[in-house]
Amino acid sequence: MRFPALPGPRSLAGQLFAMQAVLIAVVVAGYALFTYVSDERQAEDAAVRQVTAVARSIADAPSVRSAIHTPDPTAELEPYALQVIRDADVDFVTIMDPRGIRWTHPDREQIGRPFLGRIAPARQGHTFTETYTGTLGASVRAVTPVKENGRVIGLVSAGIRVEAISARVQDQVTTLLLFAGGTLLLGAVGTYVTNARLRRHTHGMNATELSRVYDYHQAALHAVREGLLMLDGQYRVALINDGGRELLGVGGEDDVVGRSVAGLGLPAPLTGALLSSEPRVDEVHLTASRVLVVNTSPVSGGERRGTVVTLRDVTELRSLMGELDSERGFTQALRSQAHEAANRLHTVVSLIELGRAPEAVEFATAELELAQALTDQVVAAVSEPVLAALLLGKTAQANERGVELIVSPDSRLDDGLLPAGLSARDLVTVLGNLIDNAVDAAQGSVGARVTVTACASAAELVLRVSDTGPGVDPAHVGLVFQAGFSTKPARPGGRGLGLALVRQAVTRLGGTLTVDAGEEGGAVFEARLPLRTTGVPAPVPGGGA
């Protein structure tokens, strides 16, 4: 026959409450049992001491010895014995002759009869105690001799019934049980309150559900490619997933958890964003090798409990956006050149219609020679195809903005010279952003001009861009390469990322990037990239992003 299973508490809090209630009940019951046994033993010992003291007091009383020598000892001893019973709180006092014949007894019918129990040790002059069942029932009694001149002239026995001793213990046990019940009730209330709070924290889930949620949490934490970082109220790392460690370039989880964000060695702007108490939405920050989009959100719950940080790697996206911007610039330049070409074509057609064919040929040939001369100049100096295309496109863009872009005569970069570790994308990032920054600075200045130098030796590639703009304030030299810093007016999407990307790429390639004042005013940015050790990451200098 199968018995139906008893329903158990589903929630973890309920299970803990039941377990704690049972534990408290067992502890209280065990303590009560121990106390009962201990109190019973103590009550018996106290009764033995009490009856012994009463018996000896009676035996030592001179009036008792005097009454023994009278013709009728009972007449004097019986009232005395009853008075002692009342005053000493004992159940009986029996005074007898040395043979054990009673002179006194609570039951007068027992007077003159032999004493029930041992008396031999007392007749030999010794006091002893025993538990014996006599005429009044089971009792704890003491028997002691009455001596005179060393001779036993009588015996005294005092006793307390076992029932009376048990009644005393029961009173103590009743008090104990009341105290134990109060303790159990108090413990149950405390356990209920504690587990009610626990139930709120666990949302009423049982242990199995919590285990399942934890398994899902761990699986999701390691499966998400985006970085996830959780900080506690003191801005210490409470949790970080695999993606977060990879994107931030920090050690394993055991090395990071518990450490302050300020001690992770992250770039200063990124550290400031993580330490901010205000939420951050889609902020772009740079590390040594990545462009990250950072979002922070405080953990709700009344007081500040921590911050949840998500990290997305947009390094490739930013690189593609840079290339797209370059292509967009090329397209605008081609559109402008197509417009100019149409004007020139109309001019040639009009000259032919007017019968001025020689002038038309001369005009068209001059335009062609000018374009070809520009192309020949760039290709002759920089035959590396990616950089040559970049310079031609940037030249057209700069011309549209009223800035002359010149390739320095010192430039010399042959095709096939660059190693495989120096990718075309990195070169476009470095040189393209430097030229864009220089064109922005030179635009509107007198004789606006940007000079580009690209040359290579056996050991390094040098990319130098100078402009005729206002230059860089010496106080801002250490800030121009930080993400978000710009002296130009703000625009949608923000500014100050181009030079930061340049610095990131140069640092990743193991090179150096400097800025100085130009001889004719303006600024000179110079990037030096090693050709033999490209691709070896270098640490980010302090203060950069």
Side-chain angles (χ1 to χ4, degrees), residues 3-44:
F3 293 95
L6 296 176
R10 290 184 51 82
S11 69
L12 178 61
Q15 295 176 15
L16 290 177
F17 174 75
M19 181 182 67
Q20 292 175 356
V22 170
L23 180 61
I24 292 175
V26 170
V27 170
V28 171
Y31 177 73
L33 178 61
F34 170 79
T35 304
Y36 173 78
V37 174
S38 176
D39 287 350
E40 186 175 22
R41 186 183 306 112
Q42 292 177 0
E44 290 180 0

Side-chain angles (χ1 to χ4, degrees), residues 329-330 332-333 336-337 374 390-406 435-436 438-440 442-444 448-452:
F330 297 159
Q332 293 176 352
S336 178
Q337 290 179 3
L374 176 61
L390 176 66
L391 290 173
L392 288 174
K394 293 297 183 183
T395 300
Q397 291 181 39
N399 183 56
E400 291 297 323
R401 299 175 61 180
V403 179
E404 181 183 8
L405 192 150
I406 301 174
I435 293 176
D436 289 340
V439 171
D440 286 342
Q443 187 177 9
R449 183 174 64 258
V450 173
T451 303
V452 180

Side-chain angles (χ1 to χ4, degrees), residues 379-383 408-414 417 453-457 461:
V379 173
V382 181
S383 58
S408 169
D410 297 332
S411 298
R412 185 67 184 175
L413 188 59
D414 296 331
L417 180 63
T453 302
C455 58
S457 64
L461 169 65

Side-chain angles (χ1 to χ4, degrees), residues 120 138 200 240 246 367 370 454 457 461 485 512:
R200 288 196 300 271
I240 184 171
E246 180 181 356
E367 290 294 325
L370 181 60
S457 64
L461 169 65
F485 178 84
T512 59

Side-chain angles (χ1 to χ4, degrees), residues 322-451:
E323 294 182 13
L324 180 60
D325 289 340
S326 297
E327 295 297 334
R328 187 181 294 112
F330 297 159
T331 302
Q332 293 176 352
L334 290 174
R335 186 182 298 113
S336 178
Q337 290 179 3
H339 181 72
E340 290 296 321
N343 291 336
R344 292 164 186 156
L345 181 60
H346 291 159
T347 302
V348 171
V349 172
S350 298
L351 287 173
I352 293 175
E353 290 177 347
L354 294 174
R356 300 293 185 91
E359 288 85 348
V361 173
E362 182 181 357
F363 179 81
T365 303
E367 290 294 325
L368 180 61
E369 289 177 352
L370 181 60
Q372 186 62 43
L374 176 61
T375 302
D376 292 342
Q377 178 190 4
V378 172
V379 173
V382 181
S383 58
E384 206 286 325
V386 175
L387 290 184
L390 176 66
L391 290 173
L392 288 174
K394 293 297 183 183
T395 300
Q397 291 181 39
N399 183 56
E400 291 297 323
R401 299 175 61 180
V403 179
E404 181 183 8
L405 192 150
I406 301 174
V407 178
S408 169
D410 297 332
S411 298
R412 185 67 184 175
L413 188 59
D414 296 331
D415 188 15
L417 180 63
L418 301 181
L422 192 58
S423 67
R425 178 173 292 179
D426 289 330
L427 293 179
V428 170
T429 297
V430 174
L431 189 57
N433 280 289
L434 289 179
I435 293 176
D436 289 340
N437 186 73
V439 171
D440 286 342
Q443 187 177 9
S445 63
V446 178
R449 183 174 64 258
V450 173
T451 303

